[in-house]
Amino acid sequence: GENVEQHPSTLSVQEGDSAVIKCTYSDSASNYFPWYKQELGKGPQLIIDIRSNVGEKKDQRIAVTLNKTAKHFSLHITETQPEDSAVYFCAASREGQGGKLIFGQGTELSVKP
Amino acid sequence: KAGVTQTPRYLIKTRGQQVTLSCSPISGHRSVSWYQQTPGQGLQFLFEYFSETQRNKGNFPGRFSGRQFSNSRSEMNVSTLELGDSALYLCASSLASTNEQFFGPGTRLTVL
């Protein structure tokens, strides 16, 4: 069935370093890949997304890359700040089922000042 | 523009009871999806509604049901509650089912 694997489960970096979180999906029909940030006591917040017709997308310090052949996509955060500390989730959905997101297990990112 | 709102924010029930959770989407959004979040299983899709019709359904038992009203507000119901139903229930809305989903703060359900 549909599955999204996310690694690592925890990531600790020093302020100013870069952080990379990787996800692999199983459903080759997946065409939409969002990333969410979830802070304690809050719902997931959409931070960036990419569609299957694009290989890379950037928004200030955040970028996402997609390799359709390998069914692999990654989140890159540069110049990390303490306020980036949160749990990050990747997700995927397939054509015609955009309302159904399959989530990875989450990565707890800790940015140490 | 107001975000997705969910009520109530916290709920405590006992086994065997039923519960109804409510979700108001962002104004103009017609698609509402529901997810269950637990430490063990993570975020799991329950169902999606679009224009009052269920469009997608996850792998949850029939005790979990939902509906959507003509104003796009949605409710989900869980009957015969079990201890394992304790979770954060999240609602997300989007303009259409192919667009970005925006989540509400969730309803924390505790079953005793």
Side-chain angles (χ1 to χ4, degrees), chain B residues 82-107:
Chain B
E82 300 176 359
L83 295 179
D85 297 333
S86 294
L88 181 67
Y89 289 89
L90 292 158
C91 157
S93 78
S94 64
L95 275 171
S97 64
T98 56
N99 288 353
E100 300 91 337
Q101 290 190 39
F102 298 92
F103 282 82
T107 293

Side-chain angles (χ1 to χ4, degrees), chain B residues 4-108:
Chain B
V4 177
T5 57
Q6 292 187 244
T7 56
R9 292 292 314 277
Y10 303 91
L11 208 45
I12 299 175
K13 292 285 187 178
T14 56
R15 279 184 301 173
Q17 287 187 310
Q18 75 160 16
V19 66
T20 299
L21 313 182
S22 180
C23 171
S24 292
I26 293 170
S27 177
H29 284 195
R30 297 170 63 192
S31 171
V32 173
S33 296
W34 288 89
Y35 296 83
Q36 181 195 65
Q37 185 174 26
T38 60
Q41 299 299 317
L43 277 153
Q44 293 187 288
F45 172 78
L46 280 155
F47 28 65
E48 180 207 2
Y49 286 87
F50 182 79
S51 293
E52 302 179 67
T53 301
Q54 187 180 89
R55 292 191 63 160
N56 288 294
K57 190 176 189 308
N59 297 322
F60 279 81
R63 300 184 297 107
F64 292 81
S65 62
R67 58 178 176 167
Q68 186 179 35
F69 302 96
S70 57
N71 61 358
S72 294
R73 190 177 70 85
S74 177
E75 289 181 347
M76 68 162 280
N77 184 277
V78 187
S79 62
T80 320
L81 284 165
E82 300 176 359
L83 295 179
D85 297 333
S86 294
L88 181 67
Y89 289 89
L90 292 158
C91 157
S93 78
S94 64
L95 275 171
S97 64
T98 56
N99 288 353
E100 300 91 337
Q101 290 190 39
F102 298 92
F103 282 82
T107 293
R108 172 73 62 185

Side-chain angles (χ1 to χ4, degrees), chain A:
Chain A
E2 307 143 317
N3 188 47
V4 175
E5 294 286 336
Q6 182 173 347
H7 298 281
S9 56
T10 60
L11 180 59
S12 182
V13 300
Q14 287 295 131
E15 182 177 0
D17 287 350
S18 294
V20 180
I21 302 171
K22 300 182 179 182
C23 288
T24 303
Y25 59 98
S26 62
D27 186 354
S28 55
S30 296
N31 68 339
Y32 174 64
F33 308 91
W35 286 88
Y36 287 87
K37 173 184 180 183
Q38 188 174 26
E39 297 173 312
L40 207 58
K42 297 185 177 180
Q45 174 195 0
L46 178 66
I47 57 172
I48 195 167
D49 57 11
I50 192 167
R51 297 188 186 271
S52 58
N53 57 346
V54 175
E56 183 176 358
K57 185 176 177 181
K58 261 187 173 180
D59 183 4
Q60 299 182 331
R61 298 185 297 109
I62 293 173
V64 58
T65 58
L66 172 64
N67 182 329
K68 281 181 62 180
T69 303
K71 289 191 278 187
H72 174 273
F73 58 113
S74 300
L75 177 72
H76 304 252
I77 306 174
T78 59
E79 300 171 27
T80 54
Q81 302 165 3
E83 51 265 39
D84 293 330
S85 296
V87 180
Y88 290 80
F89 292 95
C90 63
S93 69
R94 67 187 326 205
E95 184 78 35
Q97 294 190 359
K100 177 182 178 181
L101 292 174
I102 307 299
F103 281 88
Q105 297 90 335
T107 296
E108 185 172 2
L109 173 65
S110 174
V111 181
K112 298 185 189 306

